[in-house]
């Protein structure tokens, strides 16, 4: 009789364990965490969302962070779980975290593409896209990071449903993208930063990816990304490259980061976590802890910058 593995921060957790974790971390930290759902996925799973922050009785500025847009990037959901745990356990002892959670709310979507994530556990470890059916094709899924309204399907995306970078039949055709976009649109006045966690390549990207043109906030984003990368490197020497997506990785339209930025969320960053390709998407579990620890430093740096530069 096979024993089901329990949740662990230093292992990759399947969706059942992540869902159980969402419940237990929320009920264990009622003063700092509240949960909601952004809606259901294509296959009917809940898109659980955690709000972390001290309840002040009034509306606070917020940061939105998602993990697991792409199914196979398992280190990404592992980081969101780590972040939530680290936030609640260091609140009250770590001065920076305490101050962040006293003044800001941090919305964490631990897994964006839940259906794809499940599929990457059960059937195809290298699955990237959603699991929606495509009319007129036997190929499944759309790339959720090509499905947002930012130069949609113009460059670095495919209109072939069989491609791993399929942009979908229309903007926000995927219910998962729609649920996230609706939430951010609805909370546009309070969301000051958008962080989206991917792997791999060790990059810290900011707009634009859908065009070569510089973002209005290019200078500030460049300096924030450089300092955040430096903070990350200070722990274990892991080197990150930072810059606009188009020139740092490749032109790619329809990304959530560019969409959020053009909506008015100034501090929009895409993390590409470890490694540089030795293991790629198959990052060993032994690297979860160091990867999450170093990434915390960069995320906290960005959050502190946002806190000091509210707009
Ligand atoms: O901002 O341009 C952006 C996002 C770029 C990512 C994307 O293609 O969506 C980069 C890739 C990713 O994390 O999905 C990088 C990985 C290594 C890949 O699959 O190519
Ligand atoms: Zn990705």
């Amino acid at each position: 009789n096979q024993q089901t593995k329990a949740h662990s921060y230093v292992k990759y957790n399947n969706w059942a364990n992540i869902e159980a974790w969402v419940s237990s971390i929320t009920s264990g930290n009622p003063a700092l965490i509240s949960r909601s759902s952004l809606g259901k996925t294509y296959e009917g799973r809940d898109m659980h969302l955690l709000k972390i922050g001290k309840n002040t009785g009034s509306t606070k500025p917020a940061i939105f962070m998602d993990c697991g847009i792409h199914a196979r990037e398992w280190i990404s959901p592992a980081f969101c779980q780590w972040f939530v745990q680290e936030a609640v356990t260091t609140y009250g002892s770590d001065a920076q975290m305490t101050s962040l959670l006293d003044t800001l709310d941090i919305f964490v979507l631990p897994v964006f593409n839940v259906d794809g994530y499940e599929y990457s556990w059960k059937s195809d470890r290298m699955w990237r896209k959603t699991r929606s059916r495509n009319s007129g094709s036997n190929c499944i899924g759309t790339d959720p990071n090509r499905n947002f309204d930012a130069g949609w399907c113009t460059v670095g995306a495919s209109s072939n449903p069989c491609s791993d970078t399929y942009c979908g039949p229309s903007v926000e055709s995927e219910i998962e993208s729609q649920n996230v976009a609706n939430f951010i649109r609805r909370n546009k006045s309070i969301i000051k930063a958008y962080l989206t966690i991917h792997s791999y390549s060790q990059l810290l990207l900011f707009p634009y990816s859908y065009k070569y043109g510089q973002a209005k906030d290019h200078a500030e984003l460049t300096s924030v990304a450089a300092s955040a990368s430096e903070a990350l490197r200070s722990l274990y020497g892991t080197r990150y490259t930072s810059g606009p997506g188009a020139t740092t990785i490749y032109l790619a339209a329809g990304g959530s980061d560019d969409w959020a930025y053009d909506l008015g969320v100034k501090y929009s960053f895409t993390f590409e976590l470890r490694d540089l390709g030795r293991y790629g998407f198959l990052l060993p579990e032994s690297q979860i802890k160091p990867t999450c620890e170093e990434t915390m430093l960069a995320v906290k740096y960005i959050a502190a910058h946002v806190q000091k530069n509210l707009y």
Side-chain angles (χ1 to χ4, degrees), residues 191-240:
I191 296 177
K192 305 299 174 186
Y194 172 76
L195 307 180
T196 181
I197 314 295
H198 289 252
S199 74
Y200 59 92
S201 293
Q202 295 175 197
L203 305 171
L204 183 44
L205 308 172
F206 51 85
Y208 285 105
S209 291
Y210 74 86
K211 61 180 178 190
Y212 286 117
Q214 282 191 358
K216 174 164 50 61
D217 304 292
H218 179 82
E220 184 182 0
L221 297 177
T222 299
S223 106
V224 172
S227 300
S229 302
E230 198 178 290
L232 188 153
R233 184 179 158 189
S234 70
L235 196 57
Y236 297 115
T238 307
R239 287 168 183 273
Y240 266 56

Side-chain angles (χ1 to χ4, degrees), residues 68-73 76 128 143 145-146 196-200 250 270-272 281:
I69 281 194
H70 291 134
R72 64 192 175 191
E73 300 167 9
S76 166
R128 167 177 169 97
D143 184 343
N145 211 34
R146 297 292 183 282
T196 181
I197 314 295
H198 289 252
S199 74
Y200 59 92
Y250 40 57
T270 296
F271 279 81
E272 294 290 342
F281 303 114

Side-chain angles (χ1 to χ4, degrees), residues 62-63 104 192-193 267 269 301-311:
I63 292 174
L104 300 169
K192 305 299 174 186
Y267 299 108
F269 294 97
Y301 179 88
I302 294 172
H305 183 89
V306 173
Q307 184 186 30
K308 281 177 291 193
N309 293 273
L310 291 172
Y311 58 95

